[in-house]
Amino acid sequence: DGGITQSPKYLFRKEGQNVTLSCEQNLNHDAMYWYRQDPGQGLRLIYYSQIVNDFQKGDIAEGYSVSREKKESFPLTVTSAQKNPTAFYLCASTLAGGVTNEQFFGPGTRLTVL
Amino acid sequence: KQEVTQIPAALSVPEGENLVLNCSFTDSAIYNLQWFRQDPGKGLTSLLLIQSSQREQTSGRLNASLDKSSGRSTLYIAASQPGDSATYLCAVRTRGTGNQFYFGTGTSLTVIP
């Protein structure tokens, strides 16, 4: 089955630690996205990548970093510089080559700072 | 910057009722609008995608309309069922830097058996 997988489902971080969230897709999509979801707020874009080895900052990129070494993978690192990282993180993808394409989402990772 | 609003934030209806969810956006320079369903603790499931040149899309008991000039979309759910209980979000893909998707905060729907 084609789709997007995220791991782990739950992640706990101690103060001062960096953690990496995994996102993998087998949809052959070119574009991938990371969003953060907080209670009572809409999804906010952290980073996106439209092609391998290229990515752009979204609205709330501070304290996060990404890489895009392979088409199917787009890991997100939450660094110690992110002061309030407790949230639900969602990865998404679309076919590139146009702006009319549907966005698909993974199941999410819930990050909690201890 | 695009702002997307969904009203009401929460809605409770008896089973079998037809209902309408609303989505409004401030910048009409969009490529498309997508409706999603989100169950608690889960990712988003795509329901319908309407391109900017279209007026509506239908899938089963769902019908979504788009009025780009007035910045509004509605999601109509016919003959609601308890299994429809979830949060419904709309997102608009907006022309401009990065052609980003902007999301509303969602409408939490409860269908009472």
Side-chain angles (χ1 to χ4, degrees), chain A residues 10-23:
Chain A
Y10 299 98
L11 186 57
F12 299 91
R13 192 193 93 168
K14 294 181 180 179
E15 294 281 351
Q17 274 186 338
N18 293 353
V19 290
T20 298
L21 283 60
S22 170
C23 177

Side-chain angles (χ1 to χ4, degrees), chain B residues 44-91:
Chain B
L44 277 64
T45 299
S46 179
L47 297 173
L48 288 164
L49 173 69
I50 310 178
Q51 304 298 342
S52 62
S53 58
Q54 297 175 321
R55 297 285 293 187
E56 65 178 81
Q57 282 285 342
T58 298
S59 176
R61 294 183 294 109
L62 305 180
N63 176 277
S65 67
L66 174 64
D67 184 342
K68 193 175 68 169
S69 60
S70 67
R72 295 188 179 192
S73 176
T74 61
L75 179 66
Y76 174 83
I77 302 177
S80 59
Q81 303 170 357
D84 294 331
S85 298
T87 296
Y88 291 80
L89 297 100
C90 66

Side-chain angles (χ1 to χ4, degrees), chain A:
Chain A
D1 286 337
I4 302 173
T5 57
Q6 292 186 241
S7 62
K9 185 174 182 179
Y10 299 98
L11 186 57
F12 299 91
R13 192 193 93 168
K14 294 181 180 179
E15 294 281 351
Q17 274 186 338
N18 293 353
V19 290
T20 298
L21 283 60
S22 170
C23 177
E24 304 274 334
Q25 55 95 2
N26 61 4
L27 300 167
N28 200 32
H29 285 176
D30 297 286
M32 297 184 74
Y33 309 80
W34 273 106
Y35 294 94
R36 170 180 172 143
Q37 187 177 34
D38 295 279
Q41 297 194 40
L43 275 69
R44 292 182 290 166
L45 183 64
I46 305 172
Y47 268 98
Y48 64 102
S49 168
Q50 298 191 13
I51 196 170
V52 173
N53 292 324
D54 187 47
F55 48 83
Q56 289 78 39
K57 293 182 179 180
D59 296 328
I60 56 165
E62 185 175 351
Y64 300 97
S65 66
V66 294
S67 63
R68 187 82 187 279
E69 297 177 359
K70 298 185 296 182
K71 184 176 181 178
E72 59 270 23
S73 178
F74 191 39
L76 173 73
T77 296
V78 184
T79 75
S80 57
Q82 171 50 237
K83 297 306 178 188
N84 185 23
T86 294
F88 191 49
Y89 291 85
L90 290 158
C91 179
S93 70
T94 62
L95 270 173
V99 289
T100 61
N101 298 308
E102 192 174 4
Q103 192 169 55
F104 293 89
F105 280 81
T109 292
R110 185 164 299 280
L111 173 62
T112 303
V113 174
L114 302 175

